[in-house]
Amino acid sequence: MQLAELQQAVLAAVLDGDERIADELQGGRGGLEIQRASVQGIQQRALGEIYPVLARLLGKPSFAVLTREYLREHPARSPDLHELGADLAIYVQEQTWLVDWPYLADVARLEWCWHRVFHEAEDRPCNWRRLQALEPDQQAACRLHLPQASRLLASNFPIADIWHANQSLAEPCHVDLDQAAGQSVLVLRRGASWPCLESLAAEDFARLRRIAAGASLSELNGDPDAAQALPRFVEAGWVCGFSLGPEAGSPAR
């Protein structure tokens, strides 16, 4: 067996439980079990750090079962632990034993957004005067940008309230799911600070989604309410730059 084949076989044995290679290795199955338990333990702890609210809501025993089965069915293929758990929200939604807690999947989505925003690169400061200096047709073709370190998420559940209620080390605050409405949020990191949750009105969420989808400035200005909201978005840091459309020239930040 070539070295590359051996490495792939060992990886499959550790991550997937494929033990065909065990008898060819010194230490056999016992050694692989030790390695597998060590890797899985590290991965489960990493998931606990990425999804602390989900872990708290489920409780340690149930979260351990969830993550163990998730890792068994979705073995990691990247050595980067920051990539671990990308599909956990979908997995939570598929679990019949969690059907009585339908908000858990969106809580997981929110925590994944927070995790990704935490590790995103910072945007360069934007020179908005360059936008003012453009010709009217160039301005009209511009597309505004949300910060790289941001994510939009809408839910039928009060996910921001649930998230905030479970940030303290004390007992979690009560959130009345029967009375609370769904929430839309922008997960945003400003500079070197930790990500924060900005609760959005439905109309602001819809406008930010249009911006994220690439609506041009002329399209946004066609809606008087959206045009009026843009300065507020810039001041809040929800919009952080612009680029020129293909008909107006190269990107400008």
Side-chain angles (χ1 to χ4, degrees), residues 52-91:
V53 173
L54 180 63
R56 191 176 195 194
L57 291 171
L58 282 173
K60 289 183 179 180
S62 295
F63 186 74
V65 170
L66 177 76
T67 53
R68 183 176 64 248
E69 293 304 307
Y70 171 78
L71 291 169
R72 183 179 63 82
E73 296 183 27
H74 300 81
R77 294 305 179 195
S78 170
D80 187 354
L81 290 177
H82 294 160
E83 302 295 329
L84 188 68
D87 298 321
L88 186 61
I90 298 173
Y91 186 76

Side-chain angles (χ1 to χ4, degrees), residues 61 96 115 161 165 169 178:
T96 56
H115 171 71
D161 291 346
L169 293 177
D178 294 326

Side-chain angles (χ1 to χ4, degrees), residues 76-232:
R77 294 305 179 195
S78 170
D80 187 354
L81 290 177
H82 294 160
E83 302 295 329
L84 188 68
D87 298 321
L88 186 61
I90 298 173
Y91 186 76
V92 168
Q93 193 167 352
E94 294 172 345
Q95 301 311 299
T96 56
W97 61 284
L98 297 177
V99 69
D100 291 333
W101 301 277
Y103 56 88
L104 290 177
D106 280 356
V107 170
R109 289 186 178 93
L110 177 57
E111 293 204 275
W112 182 252
C113 287
W114 195 100
H115 171 71
R116 298 307 294 173
V117 167
F118 180 81
H119 292 286
E120 278 284 7
E122 289 187 39
D123 290 275
R124 292 176 296 167
C126 181
N127 184 355
W128 291 105
R129 292 180 181 177
R130 294 190 63 188
L131 179 58
Q132 295 174 323
L134 295 175
E135 296 295 330
D137 61 332
Q138 291 181 308
Q139 287 190 9
C142 279
R143 286 168 169 75
L144 301 178
H145 297 162
L146 273 61
Q148 291 187 75
S150 70
R151 295 292 189 279
L152 286 166
L153 181 65
S155 173
N156 293 325
F157 303 99
I159 51 173
D161 291 346
I162 295 171
W163 188 87
H164 284 298
N166 286 277
Q167 294 307 298
S168 170
L169 293 177
E171 287 298 315
C173 302
H174 177 69
V175 177
D176 190 342
L177 296 175
D178 294 326
Q179 298 296 323
Q183 292 176 324
S184 299
V185 299
L186 174 69
V187 185
L188 177 67
R189 195 190 77 234
R190 295 182 174 91
S193 62
W194 283 41
C196 62
L197 269 60
E198 304 271 3
S199 295
L200 301 175
E203 55 271 19
D204 283 346
F205 179 82
R207 290 163 189 154
L208 289 173
R209 285 197 67 177
R210 287 186 66 197
I211 293 172
S216 68
L217 197 54
S218 63
E219 292 170 331
L220 295 169
N221 285 334
D223 176 358
D225 291 334
Q228 189 175 7
L230 288 179
R232 176 166 54 85

Side-chain angles (χ1 to χ4, degrees), residues 228-249:
Q228 189 175 7
L230 288 179
R232 176 166 54 85
F233 289 179
V234 172
E235 183 178 0
W238 299 351
V239 172
C240 71
F242 67 93
S243 60
L244 302 181
E247 57 282 325

Side-chain angles (χ1 to χ4, degrees), residues 40-62:
Q40 290 178 345
I42 292 171
Q43 291 177 339
Q44 284 189 278
R45 287 194 294 274
L47 288 174
E49 293 179 1
I50 296 171
Y51 295 98
V53 173
L54 180 63
R56 191 176 195 194
L57 291 171
L58 282 173
K60 289 183 179 180
S62 295

